[in-house]
Amino acid sequence: MEISSFPFLNQEEISHLYSLFQDIDSNTLATNSNAYLKRRRKDGEEDGSGWKNIKSGNNNSVMSDILSSLILLDEEEKQEYQQWAIESQLDKAALDWNHKQKVTAMNDYRSDLETHFSDLEEMDHTRTKRARRAASEVAAAAAVTETALASSELSVPGGGGSGQQQQHRRLWVKDRSKDWWDKCNHPDFPDEEFRKAFRMSKATFDLICMELDSAVTKKNTMLRDAIPVRQRIAVCIWRLATGEPLRLVSKRFGLGISTCHKLVLEVCSAIKNVLMQKFVQWPDEEKMKMIKGEFESMSGVPNVGGSVYTTHVPIIAPKVNVSAYYNKKHTERHQKTSYSMTVQGVVDPRGVFTDVCIGYPGSMPDDKVLEESALFKRASRGDLKNVWLVGNSGLPLMDWVLVPYTHQNLTWTQHNFNEKIRDIQTVSKEAFARLKGRWSCLQKRTEVKLQDLPAVLGACCVLHNICEMRNEEMGPELKVDLFDDDMMP
């Protein structure tokens, strides 16, 4: 199908119509565009004001939401605090109630205990009264019997009142056998047997009794006679010499165990307080010259005034400060825990102590014991000028103490010097060996308390000096070897 042009219009008319249509279209478009722009401007103004209103409304709603949230949180916090306060008050009330219940229960228990113990005390008091009443009745019956016996003895010639006194004394003193001591105390008792028992001769024992007579004498009482001075001293010396337990001492001397223990401590204190200042003295100038000469003739070292040695005495485990008295070497040797106390002494060429320092713990090395001794203070004051004291390697080298060389690869001169020092050290070591051999209580753990032990050790040193000065011999069975006494610094 074809479409042809209009037959009733020519070319000019068509161009005129086309130009007319273009003008109409351009005017219409301009008018429409102006109207459209005005309408858009108006709409834009309306939209801006609405957006501002919407924005301000949104801000107000957010602030109100925040305020309402804060108010709700505050109220919740107040409610939680009130609830916590109520719960804490309830807990406190429960604790107070429990505490009151416990206090009430404890008070009831205490009152029950007091009632129970008061009942027990009343029962004991009643029992004691009954026992005393029975004893008084027995005593009265015995007195009546003794009166009858005394009246019958008065009718017999030769009857006296001594038997009545002995019978009456049995009520207060237990009758024990004293045969052994009576035999030893007899004038005809052999001196050799006496020396074996007491480590000294009768003459030396008599000398000690004479020196201590005023210090250990006791008076007789209405109930019993006092123990004689010789028996008191004999109990102490036999106990120190043998180291036997108090039970055997009690059987030997016919005394109570507690009485024997008391006598040992009393006599040891008297020996230390009365005889030590007389028999353990630092030599004066004249004696020091003699000592220096004897040591020089013995070793060739001049101006030697004494030989120093420190030994250890085993003790039972103390109740306080246990670690200070622990002895490592004795523990390793005996394979059991051991404790000890030190005894430091200076001896002259005869083995007599001229100075002793007693009582320091066994864990303290030899140099520390020397620093704490009165000998060190005497040397610090300058009282040991031109005097050498010879010690072992456990002591430090000072201007008044000679010690051996301890390093390796010694020269011949140093080795010779050590030999001379060893000869002098042997004197003090043998003196301590005789001390422990003569007084066997120093070889075993004693039953004496720690605070009383220095008096016992001091008494042993004094008795050693008395025996050495009087040339008391020791049997070969009493010799001991010292070991593990060297405590290195």
Side-chain angles (χ1 to χ4, degrees):
M1 176 177 179
E2 292 182 2
I3 300 176
S4 61
S5 59
F6 294 102
F8 52 88
L9 294 178
N10 54 17
Q11 188 68 30
E12 293 178 358
E13 291 177 350
I14 291 171
S15 62
H16 175 75
L17 289 173
Y18 180 73
S19 63
L20 180 65
F21 284 145
Q22 283 183 347
D23 293 335
I24 293 171
D25 290 336
S26 61
N27 293 328
T28 304
L29 289 173
T31 304
N32 290 335
S33 64
N34 291 332
Y36 176 76
L37 289 175
K38 290 180 181 180
R39 188 167 52 250
R40 285 290 304 273
R41 190 180 295 111
K42 183 178 181 180
D43 292 338
E45 291 177 358
E46 290 178 357
D47 290 341
S49 62
W51 171 251
K52 290 180 180 179
N53 293 331
I54 291 171
K55 189 175 180 180
S56 62
N58 289 335
N59 291 334
N60 293 331
S61 62
V62 170
M63 289 300 294
S64 63
D65 292 338
I66 292 173
L67 291 176
S68 61
S69 299
L70 291 176
I71 293 171
L72 290 175
L73 289 175
D74 191 14
E75 290 178 356
E76 289 179 358
E77 186 178 358
K78 287 181 180 180
Q79 291 178 359
E80 290 178 356
Y81 177 76
Q82 291 176 357
Q83 185 177 0
W84 175 82
I86 293 171
E87 291 178 354
S88 62
Q89 289 178 357
L90 292 176
D91 293 339
K92 183 179 179 183
L95 289 174
D96 292 340
W97 185 82
N98 290 331
H99 178 69
K100 289 180 181 179
Q101 291 295 112
K102 290 181 180 179
V103 171
T104 304
M106 291 298 294
N107 290 333
D108 295 340
Y109 179 71
R110 180 180 178 183
S111 61
D112 293 340
L113 283 179
E114 290 178 352
T115 304
H116 176 68
F117 283 116
S118 63
D119 294 339
L120 289 178
E121 289 179 358
E122 289 180 0
M123 292 174 63
D124 292 339
H125 187 63
T126 304
R127 192 181 298 110
T128 304
K129 281 186 176 180
R130 291 177 181 175
R132 288 179 180 176
R133 190 181 297 110
S136 62
E137 291 175 357
V138 173
V144 172
T145 304
E146 290 177 2
T147 304
L149 291 175
S151 61
S152 63
E153 288 178 359
L154 289 175
S155 61
V156 180
S162 60
Q164 180 181 356
Q165 293 179 359
Q166 293 175 359
Q167 293 290 335
H168 184 70
R169 195 170 300 281
R170 289 178 184 175
L171 297 174
W172 302 98
V173 180
K174 184 178 180 179
D175 190 11
R176 294 182 174 91
S177 176
K178 300 180 181 179
D179 294 339
W180 184 83
W181 165 241
D182 293 337
K183 183 173 64 175
C184 293
N185 196 32
H186 197 273
D188 296 335
F189 189 71
D191 195 65
E192 291 296 327
E193 297 294 329
F194 191 91
R195 182 179 283 107
K196 288 182 180 179
F198 296 95
R199 308 294 193 264
M200 62 182 64
S201 63
K202 287 185 177 180
T204 303
F205 182 80
D206 293 338
L207 172 66
I208 295 173
C209 292
M210 183 180 63
E211 294 285 346
L212 296 178
D213 183 75
S214 60
V216 300
T217 300
K218 301 294 181 181
K219 296 182 179 179
N220 297 334
T221 63
M222 295 289 293
L223 303 180
R224 68 183 74 184
D225 293 335
I227 302 174
V229 173
R230 292 179 63 85
Q231 188 176 3
R232 287 173 176 271
I233 297 175
V235 168
C236 178
I237 292 179
W238 193 80
R239 162 78 165 153
L240 298 179
T242 61
E244 297 292 346
L246 293 172
R247 175 176 50 83
L248 296 180
V249 180
S250 173
K251 289 183 178 180
R252 289 281 187 176
F253 291 90
L255 300 172
I257 295 178
S258 60
T259 303
C260 293
H261 180 67
K262 184 178 179 182
L263 288 178
V264 171
L265 295 182
E266 287 180 356
V267 176
C268 285
S269 298
I271 292 174
K272 182 181 178 182
N273 297 330
V274 177
L275 300 183
M276 179 171 280
Q277 57 187 354
K278 183 176 181 180
F279 291 97
V280 182
Q281 293 181 345
W282 187 256
D284 54 16
E285 294 184 2
E286 184 177 355
K287 290 184 179 180
M288 184 59 73
K289 289 181 181 179
M290 296 175 58
I291 292 173
K292 289 180 179 180
E294 292 179 6
F295 273 122
E296 186 173 2
S297 62
M298 178 192 307
S299 62
V301 181
N303 295 328
V304 175
S307 178
V308 185
Y309 190 81
T310 303
T311 190
H312 290 256
V313 179
I315 61 174
I316 60 176
K319 295 182 179 180
V320 295
N321 203 8
V322 179
S323 60
Y325 292 89
Y326 174 74
N327 192 306
K328 183 179 180 180
K329 288 191 174 182
H330 287 195
T331 300
E332 294 175 351
R333 182 180 181 89
H334 300 293
Q335 295 300 315
K336 63 179 181 180
T337 306
S338 301
Y339 305 91
S340 65
M341 180 179 286
T342 61
V343 179
Q344 176 189 273
V346 181
V347 301
D348 62 9
R350 295 186 300 168
V352 176
F353 291 112
T354 57
D355 183 86
V356 290
C357 179
I358 301 170
Y360 285 100
S363 64
M364 186 178 292
D366 294 350
D367 58 338
K368 296 297 182 182
V369 176
L370 180 63
E371 290 179 4
E372 297 295 333
S373 64
L375 180 66
F376 189 87
K377 298 178 182 178
R378 186 185 296 119
S380 300
R381 293 195 303 265
D383 297 339
L384 298 182
K385 293 182 179 179
N386 300 324
V387 176
W388 292 103
L389 298 181
V390 176
N392 55 16
S393 57
L395 299 181
L397 178 64
M398 293 184 286
D399 55 357
W400 54 278
V401 177
L402 290 179
V403 295
Y405 291 97
T406 57
H407 60 271
Q408 297 180 354
N409 301 325
L410 300 177
T411 64
W412 284 106
T413 304
Q414 293 171 346
H415 181 73
N416 188 23
F417 176 79
N418 282 0
E419 291 293 333
K420 295 180 180 180
I421 294 297
R422 189 177 296 111
D423 293 339
I424 300 175
Q425 265 287 291
T426 304
V427 176
S428 59
K429 191 171 182 178
E430 291 179 352
F432 274 96
R434 292 195 299 273
L435 172 71
K436 288 190 173 183
R438 182 177 280 119
W439 311 114
S440 301
C441 66
L442 304 180
Q443 302 178 29
K444 59 184 71 174
R445 295 187 300 176
T446 179
E447 302 169 359
V448 181
K449 294 181 180 179
L450 195 63
Q451 60 268 24
D452 299 327
L453 190 56
V456 176
L457 300 180
C460 291
C461 294
V462 174
L463 294 175
H464 167 84
N465 274 11
I466 294 174
C467 293
E468 293 291 324
M469 291 176 181
R470 296 180 63 86
N471 298 321
E472 295 288 347
E473 297 180 357
M474 284 180 56
E477 71 279 359
L478 299 179
K479 293 183 179 180
V480 297
D481 295 329
L482 300 181
F483 58 89
D484 297 337
D485 278 338
D486 296 338
M487 300 292 287
M488 294 301 176

